[in-house]
Amino acid sequence: MSDATSTGPMLAADGTPLKRSLNRALRAQKLRALMLIAPLLVFILVTFIAPITDMLFRSVENQIVSDTLPRTTRALEGWDHNSGELPSEDVFAALTYDLVAAAERKDHTRLGTRLNYETTGMSSIFRKTGRRIDDFGETYMDQFAEATPDLAAPETWVTVMADPGWRADYAAWEAARAAARETGRDFDRPPPLFRLKNGVADILPEAADVYAEFARIAQVENGDNPAEEEPWAPVYLALYRDLMHVGPGAIERLDDASRATLAPAHDAVAGFQSERLADLYLDADKGWGEPAIWSTIQAFSSNYTPGYFLASVDLRQTADGVAMQDEDRRIYIMLFERTLFMSLAIMGACILLGYPIAFLLANLPLRTSNVLLILVLLPFWTSLLVRTSSWKVLLQQQGVINDVLVWIGLVDNANRLVMINNQFGTIVAMTHILLPFMILPLYSVMKTIPPTYVRAAKSLGASNWTAFWRVYFPQSVPGIGAGCILVFILAIGYYITPELVGGTTGTFISNRIAYHISSSLNWGLAAALGSILLAVVLLLYWIYDRIVGIDNVSLG
């Protein structure tokens, strides 16, 4: 063999360098392994990671305020909420433009519902104002129609505001649609979206902005031609405000058609009868006279907010910062404490009841333990609702348990025990429901403990208690750990059983989460409460790992 061959790279059977061939084989092996676990990864992403991510996003998302009231939130940046005075007319005008568009899209009620979570009464304010916002500006609309009759025609507004290119595109689109109808062909091409004429927004900023939104809503939401629809009354309000501030020289910079329409209107606005927008809002609802309403809009104008998390710990966000909730609304810290206490109590009760049962099952003959194990599994074959309802029958004051206690003389008939619709009823019912989740891990671990260890301890002089405590019990700790984790995590998230038997003092934080999801529809607060509950569980899991060690947990 030549020197060149002896010093060259080692080759595989197919003539390729061995290192490259090995790398290719390893990549193929990793790809096959990835393909095998891909379904599980997709399942975890879809059913676990994605919902948790969405929950975390909802707990801080607040875009509805800035998206629905973009002009108002910008105008409120310069308002001092500590002044005790209402915002300026500019803010009221911005709110008018935002609200009329929101009312057309039916978004004002959703906005009112969102802000009502922070300040009671705002939902009603937005609903009532939304019904009347179309009238704001009618005074100016009538005066413009009298001074410049052309402004009463929708086509005139298109001439003043619309880009000539858009008008040509729209005419071509209408012609194509008409041709399709004549030939019976389907025509699903959307119309070209309205575009403003160059330069008009510089001279008439408010009117151009509001009219453009009117035209786009007319096209997108209603499927109408802006040239055939009369503008909103607030559009005339915006035109009045623009013409009051613009000089005649600016009007001269417009094209001939626009100048011919707007020059007479500009000359006439000085003699118009004006009206205060603040008075219109106060007529719609007196709540607009409260600075707290405006302060709430200002405080929640950003796209993201800590408000939901603050509310979850009995705090609230204000324009001045974080403050305590009113005393009658401080419930969540108490619910978290109650949930942790009762979950730990249920876990402890399951240990006390489940350990002897699991020990008995593990040490009885196989045939007998199998029969008893069926009794342990029997609750899984019964509806949760039936089991919970049965406890209501057993524990109520006229129920079976109270009747037996009265019959044997332990309880006076006039002083029957109250064991339902309180914490006791919740602990009893949930202990019964979750007990199998403690017994099964304990039984599976105890079954693997060799009985010879205990016999050997006794042969060396240990008493029954010493042999159990020093030899048997340490080996059963992994089963206790597994059972505790299962029972505690299941208990802390339960809401059906506490709802049925807990009354007002035995409900969990999960019941409040379910209420916000299904009844109040405050999904942001529900997501924040769920995120805090998840964080508490993870924290306790970490503490458990530090004290006991998760490696010592076993399901047998």
Side-chain angles (χ1 to χ4, degrees), residues 393-427:
V393 175
L394 290 170
L395 296 176
Q396 63 184 329
Q397 284 188 289
Q398 303 301 322
V400 176
I401 295 177
N402 263 304
D403 286 343
V404 172
L405 293 176
V406 170
W407 179 65
I408 63 179
L410 291 179
V411 174
D412 183 68
N413 188 53
N415 297 306
R416 288 175 173 249
L417 301 179
V418 180
M419 297 182 291
I420 200 69
N421 296 327
N422 52 26
Q423 293 187 16
F424 178 80
T426 300
I427 293 174

Side-chain angles (χ1 to χ4, degrees), residues 290-322:
E290 298 293 332
I293 298 297
W294 298 94
S295 178
T296 300
I297 298 174
Q298 186 184 53
F300 289 89
S301 60
S302 61
N303 290 337
Y304 301 96
T305 176
Y308 292 123
F309 278 103
L310 293 174
S312 299
V313 291
D314 296 334
L315 300 173
R316 59 189 175 92
Q317 181 181 356
T318 67
D320 291 320
V322 179

Side-chain angles (χ1 to χ4, degrees), residues 225-434:
N225 183 355
E228 299 174 356
E229 296 296 315
E230 184 179 19
W232 303 324
V235 175
Y236 290 90
L237 165 67
L239 180 61
Y240 167 78
R241 288 172 52 85
D242 283 336
L243 292 179
M244 286 294 292
H245 293 91
V246 72
I251 301 296
E252 293 300 321
R253 297 202 304 270
L254 294 171
D255 59 88
D256 294 340
S258 301
R259 186 168 60 248
T261 300
L262 294 179
H266 179 267
D267 295 336
V269 291
F272 279 9
Q273 178 183 355
S274 63
E275 59 182 355
R276 287 183 72 243
L277 287 173
D279 294 336
L280 295 177
Y281 276 91
L282 292 174
D283 288 341
D285 193 290
K286 296 296 183 184
W288 291 113
E290 298 293 332
I293 298 297
W294 298 94
S295 178
T296 300
I297 298 174
Q298 186 184 53
F300 289 89
S301 60
S302 61
N303 290 337
Y304 301 96
T305 176
Y308 292 123
F309 278 103
L310 293 174
S312 299
V313 291
D314 296 334
L315 300 173
R316 59 189 175 92
Q317 181 181 356
T318 67
D320 291 320
V322 179
M324 288 294 297
Q325 286 279 18
D326 296 335
E327 190 170 353
D328 59 343
R329 300 184 67 177
R330 299 176 194 170
I331 61 172
Y332 294 113
I333 292 295
M334 178 267 294
L335 284 174
F336 275 115
E337 292 174 348
R338 180 195 295 171
T339 299
L340 291 175
F341 166 75
M342 294 180 66
S343 297
L344 290 172
I346 293 164
M347 184 186 72
C350 287
I351 293 174
L352 294 177
L353 294 174
Y355 196 95
I357 297 173
F359 180 83
L360 182 65
L361 291 173
N363 290 279
L364 283 174
L366 185 61
R367 176 175 297 181
T368 305
S369 65
N370 285 341
V371 173
L372 295 179
L373 190 60
I374 292 175
L375 298 179
V376 172
L377 297 174
L378 190 60
F380 289 125
W381 305 336
T382 308
S383 168
L384 174 63
L385 190 61
V386 171
R387 284 180 281 165
T388 304
S389 300
S390 299
W391 279 110
K392 289 181 70 72
V393 175
L394 290 170
L395 296 176
Q396 63 184 329
Q397 284 188 289
Q398 303 301 322
V400 176
I401 295 177
N402 263 304
D403 286 343
V404 172
L405 293 176
V406 170
W407 179 65
I408 63 179
L410 291 179
V411 174
D412 183 68
N413 188 53
N415 297 306
R416 288 175 173 249
L417 301 179
V418 180
M419 297 182 291
I420 200 69
N421 296 327
N422 52 26
Q423 293 187 16
F424 178 80
T426 300
I427 293 174
V428 169
M430 289 187 61
T431 299
H432 167 238
I433 291 169
L434 298 178

Side-chain angles (χ1 to χ4, degrees), residues 91-161:
V91 176
F92 279 101
L95 180 61
T96 303
Y97 308 149
D98 287 333
L99 267 186
V100 69
E104 289 291 329
R105 293 191 299 261
K106 312 300 182 186
D107 287 342
H108 66 296
T109 54
R110 293 177 53 245
L111 173 65
T113 300
R114 166 65 187 96
L115 294 176
N116 198 72
Y117 299 148
E118 313 301 333
T119 301
T120 304
M122 293 196 71
S123 178
S124 173
I125 290 174
F126 275 92
R127 282 200 309 271
K128 291 166 65 176
T129 308
R131 289 193 292 266
R132 299 180 58 177
I133 195 66
D134 284 341
D135 300 332
F136 289 15
E138 277 193 347
T139 298
Y140 303 110
M141 182 170 63
D142 295 339
Q143 294 179 89
F144 273 119
E146 182 177 349
T148 310
D150 289 347
L151 285 174
E155 179 62 33
T156 302
W157 282 93
V158 171
T159 301
V160 173
M161 296 291 181

